Amino acid sequence: MSADDPAPAGASSLDSDGRSSSGPSTKFELDRETELRLEVEGPAPVRIELLTGMAEVFGTELTRNKKYTFPPGSRAAVFTWHGCTVQLWGSPDVAYVSKDTPMLLYLNAHVALEQMRMQAEREGERGPRVLVAGPSDVGKSTLCRMLLNYAVRTGRRPTLIELDVGQGSVSVPGTVGALCVERPADVEEGFSAQAPLVYHFGSTTPGTNIKFYNKLTSRLANVFNLRCDSNRRASVSGCLINTCGWVKGSGYQALIHAASAFEVDVVLVLDQERLYNDLLRDLPHFVRTVLLPKSGGASERSKDCRRESRDLRVREYFYGPRASLYPHAFEVKFSEVRVYKVGAPSIPDSCLPLGMSQEDNQLKLVPVTPGRDMAHHLLSVVPVDGGTAEEGIEERNVVGFIVITGVDIERQTLTVLSPAPRPLPKSVLLIMDIRFMDLK
Ligand code: ATP
Ligand code: MN
């Protein structure tokens, strides 16, 4: 395969993979330590190609003369440390070069973390556990991705702990999880999640059941600790904990809880001085808390935009990144499934059974009878062996997800969309309050 010459402005060319790069084409000369920021709203994707020099997208190096596609909905920055030339095809809604980036500060953060890893290596200790916090849309996920990329490019094997149940990067929305990062994120597809550890939460905001959310955080911390005990490299490499943008009230308490469950050494606070000061006050003194500026490129996303990106995550789960997978649709009988919801609706204290608190109620497994209102809901599949009781099921990891695409009351059957062919594994299904319309 040979790369094409850059197409002249306004022309279209054919790529090595046969797809045409239509639309106007522009060449950008980037000086050192500048970035080309892109926002693609649609309808057509935008493609870029690095012609000369070196550049990276959120910490992943670009391959020269390879075309990268950014579909509608993407936002990205092509950053260069030493200068480069980039060709762009298509009409992004936003495309400008910024000289004012916080990248040097982010790189310094990486250097400091790497020093901690080297010290951990020398002294037989564990490497840095880093919590990234901040309000919405300040670039938390992006900073995690960069620091993970830099770490893995330095030869480390850091773990991503994803606590954002709304816009997570490990699995579908409504889950928390962990991923051992073994190679830099793919520019177009992010980190490859071949064997992530995933837990069901069931909703896109921790506030729906904060007790359960904190319990899952503790669970992830325990599992990560076990892994560190048996894998020295993972232990030295440490972890990056990505959190959601809810930083007030219980959201703030959840951050404190995560910091303590993981016994974090470093907290990186993006953008918000107030949050930084609160954390500085409330976390133990040995925790290094650092305030970092947000990038001007990290821009606000509307509610609709968030919903769309959540939908896309679910779609990608079933259909693959480029509709490369074929999910299965099949029927199951009502009698063949056991469906639960985690957490009973809160009831007045006076109505609680003796000896039970409201909090116990939040962790209760409530059986759900299959019916019409299950349609379009996303469900987590939690395997159970033989006749095991359902006890503690909410704390077990998920092996996959299904969507109920149809409910037939007369025939007492559900139609499900599943990544694997029938039958469903021996399992319990945990229902989410997240819905997905299969419009394929
Ligand atoms: P949330 O609160 O939703 O979790 P967040 O704080 O994690 O948001 P990101 O998702 O990292 O923020 O960034 C918000 C958006 O801005 C993303 O679409 C991301 O791709 C984009 N973005 C981040 N940094 C840049 C940049 N330097 N240039 C262009 N776009 C950027
Ligand atoms: Mn995020």
Side-chain angles (χ1 to χ4, degrees):
M1 282 197 291
S2 73
D4 325 315
D5 288 334
S12 60
S13 72
L14 219 56
D15 299 341
S16 45
D17 59 2
R19 284 182 287 184
S20 81
S21 307
S22 54
S25 132
T26 326
K27 203 189 257 184
F28 291 89
E29 307 278 350
L30 302 185
D31 288 338
R32 63 196 300 258
E33 287 171 39
T34 65
E35 68 186 18
L36 169 62
R37 292 177 183 159
L38 299 172
E39 283 186 27
V40 189
E41 297 289 337
V46 163
R47 315 192 84 194
I48 58 146
E49 179 182 337
L50 176 66
L51 302 178
T52 65
M54 279 160 74
E56 54 184 49
V57 171
F58 301 145
T60 305
E61 272 195 287
L62 294 184
T63 305
R64 211 172 295 163
N65 300 126
K66 178 177 163 172
K67 290 194 176 69
Y68 295 90
T69 303
F70 295 91
S74 344
R75 297 177 185 195
V78 179
F79 178 86
T80 180
W81 291 105
H82 303 289
C84 72
T85 319
V86 179
Q87 183 88 30
L88 180 148
W89 289 270
S91 324
D93 296 81
V94 177
Y96 67 96
V97 177
S98 171
K99 293 186 192 326
D100 184 19
T101 81
M103 287 295 281
L104 213 48
L105 293 169
Y106 294 176
L107 181 68
N108 284 342
H110 162 70
V111 171
L113 296 178
E114 190 47 34
Q115 276 163 359
M116 293 172 81
R117 293 184 188 111
M118 288 189 295
Q119 182 178 347
E121 218 159 28
R122 275 195 311 271
E123 297 175 8
E125 288 166 3
R126 62 176 206 210
R129 298 178 170 203
V130 186
L131 181 99
V132 175
S136 299
D137 297 318
V138 291
K140 298 180 296 300
S141 303
T142 305
L143 180 62
C144 284
R145 177 164 164 174
M146 272 186 228
L147 294 175
L148 289 162
N149 276 337
Y150 290 153
V152 80
R153 283 167 62 185
T154 319
R156 305 297 181 185
R157 291 292 176 267
T159 302
L160 164 62
I161 306 287
E162 182 59 78
L163 297 183
D164 187 351
V165 288
Q167 309 277 331
S169 50
V170 165
S171 188
V172 298
T175 63
V176 294
L179 186 69
C180 177
V181 178
E182 298 186 321
R183 62 188 69 88
D186 183 275
V187 169
E188 294 161 348
E189 289 165 23
F191 290 111
S192 103
Q194 292 205 318
L197 179 68
V198 180
Y199 293 99
H200 165 96
F201 178 64
S203 150
T204 58
T205 145
T208 319
N209 190 339
I210 198 76
K211 170 101 177 164
F212 183 36
Y213 180 78
N214 286 336
K215 192 170 182 193
L216 290 176
T217 303
S218 302
R219 175 93 185 117
L220 273 171
N222 288 339
V223 174
F224 180 59
N225 282 338
L226 286 176
R227 182 171 158 79
C228 289
D229 288 345
S230 65
N231 185 324
R232 184 77 195 121
R233 194 168 181 194
S235 172
V236 164
S237 300
C239 66
L240 275 130
I241 306 168
N242 186 34
T243 60
C244 35
W246 183 34
V247 295
K248 290 188 183 143
S250 303
Y252 179 75
Q253 292 310 323
L255 287 177
I256 298 282
H257 175 80
S260 115
F262 279 89
E263 301 175 315
V264 301
D265 313 282
V266 178
V267 175
L268 302 177
V269 183
L270 278 171
D271 193 51
Q272 206 185 82
E273 218 174 325
R274 183 186 138 190
L275 175 66
Y276 164 74
N277 278 302
D278 288 350
L279 288 169
L280 206 57
R281 182 195 62 213
D282 294 340
L283 291 174
H285 65 274
F286 57 80
V287 178
R288 282 202 232 172
T289 306
V290 181
L291 179 65
L292 288 172
K294 93 184 239 305
S295 164
S299 48
E300 224 170 279
R301 285 171 295 176
S302 63
K303 261 207 161 91
D304 283 346
C305 180
R306 280 164 189 278
R307 191 174 325 109
E308 270 166 35
S309 82
R310 282 199 296 267
D311 247 35
L312 189 69
R313 289 294 297 179
V314 181
R315 187 170 308 281
E316 275 179 3
Y317 172 77
F318 288 104
Y319 290 97
R322 271 164 229 179
S324 50
L325 301 177
Y326 296 92
H328 300 258
F330 53 87
E331 286 189 343
V332 288
K333 295 201 189 74
F334 284 2
S335 58
E336 286 169 345
V337 294
R338 282 182 289 168
V339 185
Y340 292 90
K341 181 183 178 325
V342 183
S346 56
I347 46 175
D349 282 334
S350 56
C351 302
L352 281 171
L354 210 60
M356 208 173 140
S357 74
Q358 206 68 258
E359 300 209 322
D360 299 329
N361 223 23
Q362 284 196 283
L363 298 178
K364 222 176 125 176
L365 277 182
V366 185
V368 184
T369 318
R372 256 189 254 286
D373 45 6
M374 250 184 206
H376 308 300
H377 278 264
L378 189 62
L379 288 86
S380 304
V381 180
V382 183
V384 288
D385 18 87
T388 5
E390 271 92 43
E391 187 140 358
I393 199 90
E394 76 285 356
E395 274 196 278
R396 284 195 234 159
N397 58 297
V398 171
V399 291
F401 304 91
I402 58 169
V403 168
I404 310 246
T405 51
V407 182
D408 188 329
I409 300 289
E410 280 79 61
R411 295 175 47 236
Q412 298 270 296
T413 58
L414 302 167
T415 309
V416 305
L417 185 72
S418 157
R422 76 173 84 200
L424 288 176
K426 247 193 136 359
S427 59
V428 160
L429 303 175
L430 299 178
I431 190 162
M432 299 211 190
D433 62 20
I434 300 169
R435 285 151 50 102
F436 174 71
M437 294 289 180
D438 184 32
L439 300 172
K440 177 108 182 172

